[in-house]
Amino acid sequence: MKILIVSDVISPLLYEHINVENFSDIDLILSAGDLRSRYLTFLTTVLKKPLLYIHGNHDTHYDDQPPLGCICIEDIVYNFNGLKIAGLGGCREYRGGKHQYSERAMSKKIKKNKKTFKKGFDILLTHSPAFGLGDGEDHAHIGFKSFIKLLDDHKPKYMIHGHQHLNYKQQERIIQYNETTIINGFQYYILDL
């Protein structure tokens, strides 16, 4: 199975200059947030593949103009052909906003979904990274400590996040945390399972 991951910045290769044949072997598209609705709608329409998404901190426009033909997996575990994907959107609160959370609020959100996550999941799709695992140093880009506990408790094979642009500081796209491979989905990345 091949998964196209997108986040934060529109890729000209996937938008203005897309060659559909280059992505014909993609089975699923995952959006880790902060992308325009029309871009997500375009991807799922042109590639003719399902697209699952969570909210980034800049995705308040989804309320009025949700991405058409796409599935929001915020606070649920979605089963795609046996692959279980858990979704948690938002980032650290830094100036208020619908998809911004304090550490305490994100912990409450996770506890509220304890039953949902109890059966486990293969991929954790988030907007924000986990604390100390690919996050930034400024307040807006510090990751959530509660995500570390989620990784420790459920041991998913992958965590996919956005929010931390790879050009903010010297960043690695892929890091390992115990049994979990963490992927920064900035712009786009193809995960071959």
Side-chain angles (χ1 to χ4, degrees), residues 4 17 25 34 41 46 66 74 93-94 101 108 119 126 152-154 165 168 173-175 177 179 182 190 192:
L4 173 63
H17 309 293
D25 58 350
D34 281 356
T41 300
V46 169
E74 189 90 22
E93 185 176 32
Y94 63 97
Y101 304 91
K108 281 185 176 182
K119 293 181 182 177
T126 67
D152 289 343
D153 290 349
H154 296 281
H165 296 203
Y168 282 170
R173 184 181 287 276
I174 299 172
I175 57 177
Y177 175 75
E179 296 90 352
I182 299 173
I190 297 174
D192 190 348

PDB file of all heavy atoms in Angstrom, residues 4 17 25 34 41 46 66 74 93-94 101 108 119 126 152-154 165 168 173-175 177 179 182 190 192:
ATOM      1  N   LEU A   4       0.060   8.791   0.030  1.00  0.00           N
ATOM      2  CA  LEU A   4       0.539  10.137  -0.235  1.00  0.00           C
ATOM      3  C   LEU A   4       0.176  11.000   0.963  1.00  0.00           C
ATOM      4  O   LEU A   4      -0.997  11.112   1.309  1.00  0.00           O
ATOM      5  CB  LEU A   4      -0.102  10.696  -1.513  1.00  0.00           C
ATOM      6  CG  LEU A   4       0.174  12.166  -1.834  1.00  0.00           C
ATOM      7  CD1 LEU A   4       1.660  12.421  -2.074  1.00  0.00           C
ATOM      8  CD2 LEU A   4      -0.655  12.615  -3.027  1.00  0.00           C
ATOM      9  N   HIS A  17       1.634  21.316 -11.773  1.00  0.00           N
ATOM     10  CA  HIS A  17       2.376  20.491 -12.730  1.00  0.00           C
ATOM     11  C   HIS A  17       2.147  18.995 -12.510  1.00  0.00           C
ATOM     12  O   HIS A  17       3.020  18.189 -12.790  1.00  0.00           O
ATOM     13  CB  HIS A  17       3.880  20.791 -12.619  1.00  0.00           C
ATOM     14  CG  HIS A  17       4.212  22.243 -12.687  1.00  0.00           C
ATOM     15  ND1 HIS A  17       4.040  22.996 -13.820  1.00  0.00           N
ATOM     16  CD2 HIS A  17       4.683  23.089 -11.739  1.00  0.00           C
ATOM     17  CE1 HIS A  17       4.397  24.240 -13.583  1.00  0.00           C
ATOM     18  NE2 HIS A  17       4.787  24.328 -12.320  1.00  0.00           N
ATOM     19  N   ASP A  25       0.016   4.655  -8.478  1.00  0.00           N
ATOM     20  CA  ASP A  25       0.094   3.554  -7.519  1.00  0.00           C
ATOM     21  C   ASP A  25      -0.250   3.974  -6.093  1.00  0.00           C
ATOM     22  O   ASP A  25      -0.130   3.188  -5.158  1.00  0.00           O
ATOM     23  CB  ASP A  25       1.481   2.903  -7.562  1.00  0.00           C
ATOM     24  CG  ASP A  25       2.616   3.879  -7.280  1.00  0.00           C
ATOM     25  OD1 ASP A  25       2.371   5.110  -7.233  1.00  0.00           O
ATOM     26  OD2 ASP A  25       3.759   3.419  -7.101  1.00  0.00           O
ATOM     27  N   ASP A  34      -3.487  22.255   7.586  1.00  0.00           N
ATOM     28  CA  ASP A  34      -3.066  23.568   7.088  1.00  0.00           C
ATOM     29  C   ASP A  34      -2.955  23.630   5.563  1.00  0.00           C
ATOM     30  O   ASP A  34      -2.023  24.212   5.019  1.00  0.00           O
ATOM     31  CB  ASP A  34      -1.757  24.030   7.741  1.00  0.00           C
ATOM     32  CG  ASP A  34      -1.978  24.590   9.131  1.00  0.00           C
ATOM     33  OD1 ASP A  34      -3.144  24.685   9.557  1.00  0.00           O
ATOM     34  OD2 ASP A  34      -0.996  24.926   9.793  1.00  0.00           O
ATOM     35  N   THR A  41      -9.625  18.836  -2.221  1.00  0.00           N
ATOM     36  CA  THR A  41     -10.651  18.405  -3.173  1.00  0.00           C
ATOM     37  C   THR A  41     -10.014  18.070  -4.523  1.00  0.00           C
ATOM     38  O   THR A  41     -10.347  17.057  -5.149  1.00  0.00           O
ATOM     39  CB  THR A  41     -11.713  19.508  -3.347  1.00  0.00           C
ATOM     40  OG1 THR A  41     -12.312  19.768  -2.069  1.00  0.00           O
ATOM     41  CG2 THR A  41     -12.779  19.109  -4.340  1.00  0.00           C
ATOM     42  N   VAL A  46      -8.574  14.402  -8.755  1.00  0.00           N
ATOM     43  CA  VAL A  46      -7.659  14.108  -9.856  1.00  0.00           C
ATOM     44  C   VAL A  46      -7.008  12.729  -9.705  1.00  0.00           C
ATOM     45  O   VAL A  46      -6.886  11.979 -10.679  1.00  0.00           O
ATOM     46  CB  VAL A  46      -6.583  15.216  -9.968  1.00  0.00           C
ATOM     47  CG1 VAL A  46      -5.469  14.826 -10.907  1.00  0.00           C
ATOM     48  CG2 VAL A  46      -7.216  16.511 -10.436  1.00  0.00           C
ATOM     49  N   PRO A  66     -15.832  22.792   3.611  1.00  0.00           N
ATOM     50  CA  PRO A  66     -15.061  21.562   3.832  1.00  0.00           C
ATOM     51  C   PRO A  66     -14.533  21.015   2.512  1.00  0.00           C
ATOM     52  O   PRO A  66     -15.119  21.261   1.451  1.00  0.00           O
ATOM     53  CB  PRO A  66     -16.076  20.603   4.460  1.00  0.00           C
ATOM     54  CG  PRO A  66     -17.406  21.119   4.041  1.00  0.00           C
ATOM     55  CD  PRO A  66     -17.256  22.608   3.867  1.00  0.00           C
ATOM     56  N   GLU A  74     -10.947  13.455  12.458  1.00  0.00           N
ATOM     57  CA  GLU A  74     -10.667  14.104  13.736  1.00  0.00           C
ATOM     58  C   GLU A  74     -11.346  13.327  14.872  1.00  0.00           C
ATOM     59  O   GLU A  74     -12.550  13.072  14.832  1.00  0.00           O
ATOM     60  CB  GLU A  74     -11.213  15.531  13.680  1.00  0.00           C
ATOM     61  CG  GLU A  74     -10.827  16.385  14.836  1.00  0.00           C
ATOM     62  CD  GLU A  74      -9.523  17.125  14.602  1.00  0.00           C
ATOM     63  OE1 GLU A  74      -9.120  17.311  13.444  1.00  0.00           O
ATOM     64  OE2 GLU A  74      -8.917  17.501  15.597  1.00  0.00           O
ATOM     65  N   GLU A  93      -1.688  25.968  21.768  1.00  0.00           N
ATOM     66  CA  GLU A  93      -2.315  27.289  21.802  1.00  0.00           C
ATOM     67  C   GLU A  93      -1.240  28.365  21.886  1.00  0.00           C
ATOM     68  O   GLU A  93      -0.360  28.312  22.734  1.00  0.00           O
ATOM     69  CB  GLU A  93      -3.243  27.387  23.012  1.00  0.00           C
ATOM     70  CG  GLU A  93      -4.018  28.671  23.061  1.00  0.00           C
ATOM     71  CD  GLU A  93      -5.000  28.693  24.207  1.00  0.00           C
ATOM     72  OE1 GLU A  93      -4.705  28.088  25.254  1.00  0.00           O
ATOM     73  OE2 GLU A  93      -6.047  29.315  24.053  1.00  0.00           O
ATOM     74  N   TYR A  94      -1.315  29.312  20.953  1.00  0.00           N
ATOM     75  CA  TYR A  94      -0.331  30.392  20.959  1.00  0.00           C
ATOM     76  C   TYR A  94      -0.957  31.765  20.760  1.00  0.00           C
ATOM     77  O   TYR A  94      -0.347  32.767  21.071  1.00  0.00           O
ATOM     78  CB  TYR A  94       0.782  30.154  19.927  1.00  0.00           C
ATOM     79  CG  TYR A  94       0.337  30.109  18.491  1.00  0.00           C
ATOM     80  CD1 TYR A  94       0.430  31.228  17.672  1.00  0.00           C
ATOM     81  CD2 TYR A  94      -0.163  28.934  17.948  1.00  0.00           C
ATOM     82  CE1 TYR A  94       0.031  31.183  16.348  1.00  0.00           C
ATOM     83  CE2 TYR A  94      -0.561  28.879  16.622  1.00  0.00           C
ATOM     84  CZ  TYR A  94      -0.466  29.994  15.829  1.00  0.00           C
ATOM     85  OH  TYR A  94      -0.863  29.941  14.517  1.00  0.00           O
ATOM     86  N   TYR A 101      -4.719  24.242  21.283  1.00  0.00           N
ATOM     87  CA  TYR A 101      -4.995  23.624  22.568  1.00  0.00           C
ATOM     88  C   TYR A 101      -3.828  23.806  23.532  1.00  0.00           C
ATOM     89  O   TYR A 101      -2.661  23.725  23.118  1.00  0.00           O
ATOM     90  CB  TYR A 101      -5.224  22.109  22.401  1.00  0.00           C
ATOM     91  CG  TYR A 101      -6.318  21.767  21.427  1.00  0.00           C
ATOM     92  CD1 TYR A 101      -6.039  21.566  20.076  1.00  0.00           C
ATOM     93  CD2 TYR A 101      -7.630  21.646  21.849  1.00  0.00           C
ATOM     94  CE1 TYR A 101      -7.043  21.258  19.173  1.00  0.00           C
ATOM     95  CE2 TYR A 101      -8.645  21.338  20.956  1.00  0.00           C
ATOM     96  CZ  TYR A 101      -8.341  21.149  19.623  1.00  0.00           C
ATOM     97  OH  TYR A 101      -9.336  20.838  18.728  1.00  0.00           O
ATOM     98  N   LYS A 108      -7.059  16.258  27.798  1.00  0.00           N
ATOM     99  CA  LYS A 108      -8.494  16.002  27.999  1.00  0.00           C
ATOM    100  C   LYS A 108      -9.124  15.438  26.723  1.00  0.00           C
ATOM    101  O   LYS A 108      -9.960  14.542  26.780  1.00  0.00           O
ATOM    102  CB  LYS A 108      -9.226  17.288  28.396  1.00  0.00           C
ATOM    103  CG  LYS A 108      -9.062  17.662  29.840  1.00  0.00           C
ATOM    104  CD  LYS A 108      -9.917  18.884  30.149  1.00  0.00           C
ATOM    105  CE  LYS A 108      -9.854  19.228  31.621  1.00  0.00           C
ATOM    106  NZ  LYS A 108     -10.709  20.384  31.942  1.00  0.00           N
ATOM    107  N   LYS A 119      -8.840   0.211  21.143  1.00  0.00           N
ATOM    108  CA  LYS A 119      -8.603  -0.974  20.297  1.00  0.00           C
ATOM    109  C   LYS A 119      -7.324  -0.861  19.485  1.00  0.00           C
ATOM    110  O   LYS A 119      -6.964  -1.760  18.750  1.00  0.00           O
ATOM    111  CB  LYS A 119      -9.794  -1.212  19.384  1.00  0.00           C
ATOM    112  CG  LYS A 119     -11.034  -1.619  20.153  1.00  0.00           C
ATOM    113  CD  LYS A 119     -12.190  -1.881  19.230  1.00  0.00           C
ATOM    114  CE  LYS A 119     -13.429  -2.234  20.032  1.00  0.00           C
ATOM    115  NZ  LYS A 119     -14.592  -2.420  19.164  1.00  0.00           N
ATOM    116  N   THR A 126      -1.604  13.453  13.091  1.00  0.00           N
ATOM    117  CA  THR A 126      -1.777  14.670  13.881  1.00  0.00           C
ATOM    118  C   THR A 126      -1.302  15.867  13.064  1.00  0.00           C
ATOM    119  O   THR A 126      -0.618  15.702  12.060  1.00  0.00           O
ATOM    120  CB  THR A 126      -0.962  14.607  15.195  1.00  0.00           C
ATOM    121  OG1 THR A 126       0.437  14.610  14.878  1.00  0.00           O
ATOM    122  CG2 THR A 126      -1.313  13.379  16.016  1.00  0.00           C
ATOM    123  N   ASP A 152       3.475   5.764  23.616  1.00  0.00           N
ATOM    124  CA  ASP A 152       3.927   4.737  24.561  1.00  0.00           C
ATOM    125  C   ASP A 152       2.832   3.704  24.844  1.00  0.00           C
ATOM    126  O   ASP A 152       3.103   2.509  24.936  1.00  0.00           O
ATOM    127  CB  ASP A 152       4.387   5.372  25.877  1.00  0.00           C
ATOM    128  CG  ASP A 152       5.692   6.141  25.745  1.00  0.00           C
ATOM    129  OD1 ASP A 152       6.422   5.927  24.749  1.00  0.00           O
ATOM    130  OD2 ASP A 152       5.978   6.968  26.627  1.00  0.00           O
ATOM    131  N   ASP A 153       1.596   4.177  24.997  1.00  0.00           N
ATOM    132  CA  ASP A 153       0.485   3.275  25.332  1.00  0.00           C
ATOM    133  C   ASP A 153       0.052   2.394  24.166  1.00  0.00           C
ATOM    134  O   ASP A 153      -0.276   1.236  24.351  1.00  0.00           O
ATOM    135  CB  ASP A 153      -0.731   4.079  25.819  1.00  0.00           C
ATOM    136  CG  ASP A 153      -0.514   4.713  27.187  1.00  0.00           C
ATOM    137  OD1 ASP A 153       0.487   4.373  27.866  1.00  0.00           O
ATOM    138  OD2 ASP A 153      -1.336   5.580  27.570  1.00  0.00           O
ATOM    139  N   HIS A 154       0.051   2.949  22.944  1.00  0.00           N
ATOM    140  CA  HIS A 154      -0.525   2.230  21.804  1.00  0.00           C
ATOM    141  C   HIS A 154       0.496   1.714  20.794  1.00  0.00           C
ATOM    142  O   HIS A 154       0.155   0.883  19.957  1.00  0.00           O
ATOM    143  CB  HIS A 154      -1.558   3.109  21.104  1.00  0.00           C
ATOM    144  CG  HIS A 154      -2.724   3.428  21.980  1.00  0.00           C
ATOM    145  ND1 HIS A 154      -3.744   2.545  22.202  1.00  0.00           N
ATOM    146  CD2 HIS A 154      -3.002   4.528  22.726  1.00  0.00           C
ATOM    147  CE1 HIS A 154      -4.618   3.084  23.031  1.00  0.00           C
ATOM    148  NE2 HIS A 154      -4.193   4.282  23.359  1.00  0.00           N
ATOM    149  N   HIS A 165       7.406  23.104   9.655  1.00  0.00           N
ATOM    150  CA  HIS A 165       7.944  23.137   8.295  1.00  0.00           C
ATOM    151  C   HIS A 165       9.419  22.720   8.317  1.00  0.00           C
ATOM    152  O   HIS A 165      10.165  23.087   9.219  1.00  0.00           O
ATOM    153  CB  HIS A 165       7.830  24.541   7.707  1.00  0.00           C
ATOM    154  CG  HIS A 165       6.415  24.997   7.534  1.00  0.00           C
ATOM    155  ND1 HIS A 165       6.071  25.972   6.630  1.00  0.00           N
ATOM    156  CD2 HIS A 165       5.257  24.609   8.132  1.00  0.00           C
ATOM    157  CE1 HIS A 165       4.759  26.175   6.684  1.00  0.00           C
ATOM    158  NE2 HIS A 165       4.246  25.361   7.592  1.00  0.00           N
ATOM    159  N   TYR A 168      12.031  25.523   8.711  1.00  0.00           N
ATOM    160  CA  TYR A 168      12.090  26.374   9.904  1.00  0.00           C
ATOM    161  C   TYR A 168      13.447  26.298  10.581  1.00  0.00           C
ATOM    162  O   TYR A 168      13.963  27.241  11.103  1.00  0.00           O
ATOM    163  CB  TYR A 168      11.024  25.969  10.920  1.00  0.00           C
ATOM    164  CG  TYR A 168       9.629  26.452  10.589  1.00  0.00           C
ATOM    165  CD1 TYR A 168       8.548  25.976  11.308  1.00  0.00           C
ATOM    166  CD2 TYR A 168       9.380  27.371   9.581  1.00  0.00           C
ATOM    167  CE1 TYR A 168       7.257  26.404  11.031  1.00  0.00           C
ATOM    168  CE2 TYR A 168       8.100  27.793   9.291  1.00  0.00           C
ATOM    169  CZ  TYR A 168       7.050  27.309  10.029  1.00  0.00           C
ATOM    170  OH  TYR A 168       5.784  27.720   9.752  1.00  0.00           O
ATOM    171  N   ARG A 173      13.129  14.672   8.251  1.00  0.00           N
ATOM    172  CA  ARG A 173      11.749  14.320   7.913  1.00  0.00           C
ATOM    173  C   ARG A 173      11.298  13.091   8.700  1.00  0.00           C
ATOM    174  O   ARG A 173      10.154  13.000   9.116  1.00  0.00           O
ATOM    175  CB  ARG A 173      11.610  14.052   6.416  1.00  0.00           C
ATOM    176  CG  ARG A 173      10.158  13.768   6.032  1.00  0.00           C
ATOM    177  CD  ARG A 173       9.980  13.473   4.562  1.00  0.00           C
ATOM    178  NE  ARG A 173      10.112  14.626   3.726  1.00  0.00           N
ATOM    179  CZ  ARG A 173       9.140  15.505   3.453  1.00  0.00           C
ATOM    180  NH1 ARG A 173       7.959  15.377   4.025  1.00  0.00           N
ATOM    181  NH2 ARG A 173       9.347  16.513   2.626  1.00  0.00           N
ATOM    182  N   ILE A 174      12.194  12.145   8.891  1.00  0.00           N
ATOM    183  CA  ILE A 174      11.833  10.880   9.547  1.00  0.00           C
ATOM    184  C   ILE A 174      12.709  10.673  10.770  1.00  0.00           C
ATOM    185  O   ILE A 174      13.940  10.784  10.695  1.00  0.00           O
ATOM    186  CB  ILE A 174      12.008   9.696   8.574  1.00  0.00           C
ATOM    187  CG1 ILE A 174      11.097   9.883   7.356  1.00  0.00           C
ATOM    188  CG2 ILE A 174      11.704   8.368   9.262  1.00  0.00           C
ATOM    189  CD1 ILE A 174      11.308   8.887   6.255  1.00  0.00           C
ATOM    190  N   ILE A 175      12.067  10.392  11.898  1.00  0.00           N
ATOM    191  CA  ILE A 175      12.794  10.035  13.118  1.00  0.00           C
ATOM    192  C   ILE A 175      12.137   8.801  13.731  1.00  0.00           C
ATOM    193  O   ILE A 175      10.983   8.488  13.430  1.00  0.00           O
ATOM    194  CB  ILE A 175      12.852  11.202  14.143  1.00  0.00           C
ATOM    195  CG1 ILE A 175      11.463  11.676  14.523  1.00  0.00           C
ATOM    196  CG2 ILE A 175      13.671  12.352  13.625  1.00  0.00           C
ATOM    197  CD1 ILE A 175      11.451  12.768  15.587  1.00  0.00           C
ATOM    198  N   TYR A 177      11.044   6.709  17.205  1.00  0.00           N
ATOM    199  CA  TYR A 177      10.770   6.761  18.641  1.00  0.00           C
ATOM    200  C   TYR A 177      10.259   5.388  19.052  1.00  0.00           C
ATOM    201  O   TYR A 177       9.133   5.005  18.710  1.00  0.00           O
ATOM    202  CB  TYR A 177       9.737   7.840  18.978  1.00  0.00           C
ATOM    203  CG  TYR A 177       9.347   7.842  20.435  1.00  0.00           C
ATOM    204  CD1 TYR A 177      10.217   8.347  21.394  1.00  0.00           C
ATOM    205  CD2 TYR A 177       8.134   7.326  20.856  1.00  0.00           C
ATOM    206  CE1 TYR A 177       9.886   8.334  22.732  1.00  0.00           C
ATOM    207  CE2 TYR A 177       7.786   7.320  22.192  1.00  0.00           C
ATOM    208  CZ  TYR A 177       8.663   7.819  23.122  1.00  0.00           C
ATOM    209  OH  TYR A 177       8.332   7.803  24.459  1.00  0.00           O
ATOM    210  N   GLU A 179       9.040   1.958  18.920  1.00  0.00           N
ATOM    211  CA  GLU A 179       8.526   1.165  17.799  1.00  0.00           C
ATOM    212  C   GLU A 179       7.884   2.023  16.706  1.00  0.00           C
ATOM    213  O   GLU A 179       7.433   1.508  15.689  1.00  0.00           O
ATOM    214  CB  GLU A 179       7.471   0.164  18.296  1.00  0.00           C
ATOM    215  CG  GLU A 179       8.010  -0.878  19.254  1.00  0.00           C
ATOM    216  CD  GLU A 179       7.933  -0.434  20.706  1.00  0.00           C
ATOM    217  OE1 GLU A 179       7.593   0.754  20.974  1.00  0.00           O
ATOM    218  OE2 GLU A 179       8.239  -1.239  21.579  1.00  0.00           O
ATOM    219  N   ILE A 182       8.256   8.240  13.002  1.00  0.00           N
ATOM    220  CA  ILE A 182       7.576   9.533  12.945  1.00  0.00           C
ATOM    221  C   ILE A 182       7.967  10.233  11.650  1.00  0.00           C
ATOM    222  O   ILE A 182       9.148  10.385  11.348  1.00  0.00           O
ATOM    223  CB  ILE A 182       7.939  10.397  14.168  1.00  0.00           C
ATOM    224  CG1 ILE A 182       7.488   9.673  15.451  1.00  0.00           C
ATOM    225  CG2 ILE A 182       7.306  11.784  14.059  1.00  0.00           C
ATOM    226  CD1 ILE A 182       7.940  10.342  16.734  1.00  0.00           C
ATOM    227  N   ILE A 190       5.734  10.317   0.219  1.00  0.00           N
ATOM    228  CA  ILE A 190       5.074   9.054  -0.123  1.00  0.00           C
ATOM    229  C   ILE A 190       5.585   7.966   0.821  1.00  0.00           C
ATOM    230  O   ILE A 190       6.794   7.702   0.882  1.00  0.00           O
ATOM    231  CB  ILE A 190       5.294   8.669  -1.597  1.00  0.00           C
ATOM    232  CG1 ILE A 190       4.649   9.727  -2.496  1.00  0.00           C
ATOM    233  CG2 ILE A 190       4.715   7.282  -1.883  1.00  0.00           C
ATOM    234  CD1 ILE A 190       4.898   9.554  -3.969  1.00  0.00           C
ATOM    235  N   ASP A 192       5.534   4.094   1.634  1.00  0.00           N
ATOM    236  CA  ASP A 192       5.302   2.800   1.011  1.00  0.00           C
ATOM    237  C   ASP A 192       5.250   1.752   2.114  1.00  0.00           C
ATOM    238  O   ASP A 192       6.262   1.424   2.735  1.00  0.00           O
ATOM    239  CB  ASP A 192       6.422   2.488   0.024  1.00  0.00           C
ATOM    240  CG  ASP A 192       6.133   1.281  -0.847  1.00  0.00           C
ATOM    241  OD1 ASP A 192       5.181   0.536  -0.552  1.00  0.00           O
ATOM    242  OD2 ASP A 192       6.865   1.088  -1.840  1.00  0.00           O
TER     243      ASP A 192
END
